[in-house]
Amino acid sequence: MSASWVVRKILTSRNQIQQQQQGTGSIHALLEKAQYEGKFSIQKMYLLLLPAYPRVEWRHLTLHSKMHPRHKFTLWLAVRRRLATVERLQKFGIVVPPDCVFCGQGLESFTHLYFACHITRGLWSRVCAWLGYQRQIQN
Ligand SMILES: [Zn+2]
C-alpha cells in the first residue's frame, strides 16, 4: 500500500528544503528569507517552499472569483483526478458496485465518466454546445 497523501507531501517538502539548502547554502539563509519585519513569517516560508509550476491556460477556471466554492473544489478534484469514483473507492477498500451508474457497462473510473461513457459523452457534448464550445469530447 502506498503512503498517504500527507506523508508523501511531507517527504516532498523535506526534499525541497534539502534542495533549497544546497542552493542557498544553509537553512539560515532560507530562514532569513522567510522573515518579515525582523520576525519569522510562516506565510513567507510557505510561499518560499511552494514549487514553481508553469502557468496553464485553464487556470482562470479555478481562479474565477464568482465561482461557487463547492464547484471550484469539485473542479479542482476533477483536474487532479481525485473525484470519488468507484475505481478510487475500491483502492481505499470500499466495496461498491463497480459498474458505471449511467450506462451500466465498464468500471466507473475518471476516464470512463468523462471520456468513454456514451451517455456522459452525450451529456458533455450538450453542455459544451450550450456554452458555445464547438469541439469533440476526446480522451
Ligand atoms: Zn458509463
Side-chain angles (χ1 to χ4, degrees):
M1 185 167 212
S2 64
S4 73
W5 179 86
V6 173
V7 172
R8 280 185 276 143
K9 194 69 178 174
I10 290 171
L11 294 174
T12 303
S13 297
R14 184 190 66 180
N15 292 339
Q16 287 174 345
I17 290 171
Q18 288 174 342
Q19 287 175 356
Q20 284 197 356
Q21 280 182 288
Q22 292 168 356
T24 57
S26 71
I27 189 75
H28 296 293
L30 185 63
L31 289 172
E32 294 245 345
K33 284 184 183 176
Q35 289 189 8
Y36 178 74
E37 294 180 355
K39 294 182 180 177
F40 176 74
S41 167
I42 193 76
Q43 180 184 14
K44 283 193 85 172
M45 179 59 96
Y46 174 76
L47 293 175
L48 283 171
L49 294 177
L50 280 179
Y53 295 112
R55 290 190 170 195
V56 291
E57 286 183 31
W58 46 264
R59 72 182 185 276
H60 297 293
L61 283 174
T62 57
L63 299 175
H64 195 283
S65 62
K66 293 181 180 174
M67 183 184 279
H68 192 282
R70 181 185 303 171
H71 301 156
K72 193 181 285 190
F73 181 67
T74 303
L75 178 62
W76 181 78
L77 287 175
V79 166
R80 303 207 32 111
R81 293 186 177 222
R82 297 285 196 263
L83 289 173
T85 59
V86 168
E87 182 182 39
R88 285 191 37 89
L89 294 176
Q90 287 179 342
K91 284 182 183 175
F92 299 131
I94 298 171
V95 179
V96 288
D99 294 334
C100 172
V101 295
F102 293 102
C103 67
Q105 303 167 352
L107 178 66
E108 185 191 289
S109 64
F110 178 85
T111 304
H112 179 81
L113 280 177
Y114 284 90
F115 305 109
C117 181
H118 66 278
I119 293 177
T120 57
R121 179 185 289 252
L123 174 72
W124 290 123
S125 293
R126 286 194 301 260
V127 168
C128 286
W130 178 61
L131 293 172
Y133 293 109
Q134 301 297 324
R135 67 172 73 156
Q136 289 282 334
I137 305 295
Q138 299 175 350
N139 57 19

